Amino acid sequence: MKAQKSQSAGGEKVLAGKVALVTGASRGAARAVAVELGRAGATVYATGRTTRGTVSETGRPTETIEQTAELVTAAGGEGIAAVVDHLQADQVQALAERIDREQGRLDILVNTIWGAEHLVERGKKMWECDLDKGRRMLQLGIETYYVTSHYALPLLIRRPGGLVVELTDGTEEFNRSHYRAPFAFDLAKFAPFRMTWALAEEVKEYGCTALGLAPGWMRTEAMLDAFGITEENWRDGCTVDSTFAISETPVFTARAVTALATDPDVARYNGQSLSVGTLAKEYGFTDADGSAPDSVRYFQDFMRTGQAPKADDYR
């Protein structure tokens, strides 16, 4: 059964009474996911390290978890900001206990932490890269997911229908056949597929679902800044990199998560690696501008032919 009305929930609070935990929700895809789940009526715990008083290592003080929580509430849900470093087990355990104490349930866990783009040393061999930067990438991209799931899943599996979404970069199929250099980046982005598969095996007996989700090239706040553009004139970025024409907003990923969360038959995806573009075709949602870019298919064709296809054919 498709969950077409999950695009902004059609104004309906289809997730009313549901509780979600969205990690790393200060900005980017995680913020958008939190807001869309709130739009569908969910109570959303938005975690992160950047607050109005503190800034994480990403160095972006203008995007905070308090802002995200306020956006969730303004969208129609209940947004709750929680300051958490997901590498600190005691903080994550305290968060799970807080959610249990305040809500008595957890229905949706969305692991989206990254914040390591500044550590990526492109064009270098593994042995040429800074070892500490590589280790930090693995901590942020793998260990945070592990620690969070360890403490959150006992709460999530109490009720059938729980959903775990592990966000990563590229699908399992694409990453298996393409090296996502450099070494630490490739490992950090591939490990969540095995984590998803393993979690799927462990949660299915409780009637829950774990899956991997691959956004396309997202126009996050940091990406727009890197190109020196805004969302209003984003197509100017195509003059710097023509493949930017296939980019998408974080809202597209957020609508994918909401579609999955409102699909009564989501268990059919247990253990799978899915792309946002593919799910847009399945559920019928679109990006904020009404398009439905399929960047995974675009880059597959790009890698196969060595030439950039016409982006409009993939939107």
Side-chain angles (χ1 to χ4, degrees):
M1 180 183 297
K2 295 184 179 182
Q4 166 61 28
K5 64 183 179 181
S6 64
Q7 178 158 328
S8 300
E12 301 176 32
K13 305 303 180 185
V14 290
L15 291 179
K18 301 290 187 180
V19 179
L21 166 57
V22 182
T23 67
S26 304
R27 60 187 66 84
R31 168 175 281 190
V33 168
V35 173
E36 285 300 309
L37 291 175
R39 198 181 311 282
T43 295
V44 183
Y45 285 77
T47 72
R49 294 173 295 159
T50 299
T51 71
R52 290 190 173 121
T54 60
V55 182
S56 75
E57 66 197 74
T58 57
R60 298 187 61 86
T62 57
E63 301 122 15
T64 69
I65 55 173
E66 294 95 341
Q67 290 173 345
T68 300
E70 290 165 0
L71 290 169
V72 171
T73 301
E78 180 183 0
I80 302 172
V83 183
V84 178
D85 181 340
H86 286 262
L87 288 172
Q88 302 302 315
D90 58 339
Q91 294 184 28
V92 181
Q93 182 178 17
L95 171 66
E97 292 172 350
R98 175 187 176 185
I99 296 173
D100 190 11
R101 184 173 62 252
E102 295 177 352
Q103 311 297 334
R105 64 188 297 158
L106 179 64
D107 304 282
I108 305 161
L109 168 61
V110 187
N111 276 319
T112 59
I113 294 173
W114 177 232
E117 198 62 34
H118 64 290
L119 301 172
V120 181
E121 298 179 282
R122 304 196 185 279
K124 291 185 178 182
K125 301 293 187 184
M126 183 267 279
W127 54 89
E128 297 171 338
C129 291
D130 184 277
L131 182 60
D132 289 336
K133 287 183 178 180
R135 283 176 165 173
R136 186 62 177 170
M137 264 191 280
L138 299 182
Q139 287 181 320
L140 292 169
I142 301 174
E143 190 176 339
T144 57
Y145 285 25
Y146 179 28
V147 174
T148 304
S149 295
H150 177 83
Y151 288 108
L153 287 183
L155 183 54
L156 184 137
I157 62 172
R158 285 183 187 173
R159 292 175 174 82
L163 175 65
V164 182
V165 179
E166 306 272 54
L167 220 68
T168 188
D169 191 315
T171 62
E172 192 274 340
E173 178 184 15
F174 183 80
N175 286 10
R176 186 177 354 106
S177 56
H178 298 92
Y179 177 41
R180 307 299 303 280
F183 177 87
F185 181 85
D186 183 89
L187 182 54
K189 294 306 183 181
F190 198 86
F193 301 127
R194 190 65 183 182
M195 295 168 68
T196 295
W197 185 88
L199 287 179
E201 287 293 308
E202 298 200 352
V203 303
K204 64 183 179 183
E205 66 180 277
Y206 302 95
C208 299
T209 301
L211 56 86
L213 182 62
W217 189 350
M218 280 190 294
R219 299 194 297 275
T220 62
E221 300 92 341
M223 184 61 67
L224 291 170
D225 286 350
F227 274 78
I229 54 177
T230 66
E231 182 57 33
E232 288 65 35
N233 69 336
W234 73 266
R235 284 190 176 274
D236 290 350
C238 299
T239 62
V240 179
D241 186 335
S242 62
T243 59
F244 198 60
I246 199 63
S247 64
E248 61 199 46
T249 75
V251 171
F252 200 36
T253 294
R255 288 176 174 174
V257 173
T258 305
L260 291 164
T262 56
D263 183 352
D265 193 29
V266 70
R268 71 189 187 278
Y269 291 131
N270 194 37
Q272 293 188 33
S273 167
L274 310 167
S275 74
V276 172
T278 297
L279 288 178
K281 295 181 177 65
E282 169 68 18
Y283 289 109
F285 62 84
T286 65
D287 201 348
D289 63 358
S291 67
D294 190 349
S295 62
V296 169
R297 185 168 63 89
Y298 176 89
F299 283 111
Q300 283 176 329
D301 290 348
F302 192 0
M303 294 285 191
R304 178 174 53 82
T305 64
Q307 296 182 337
K310 184 180 179 182
D312 288 342
D313 294 339
Y314 297 80
R315 297 189 74 88

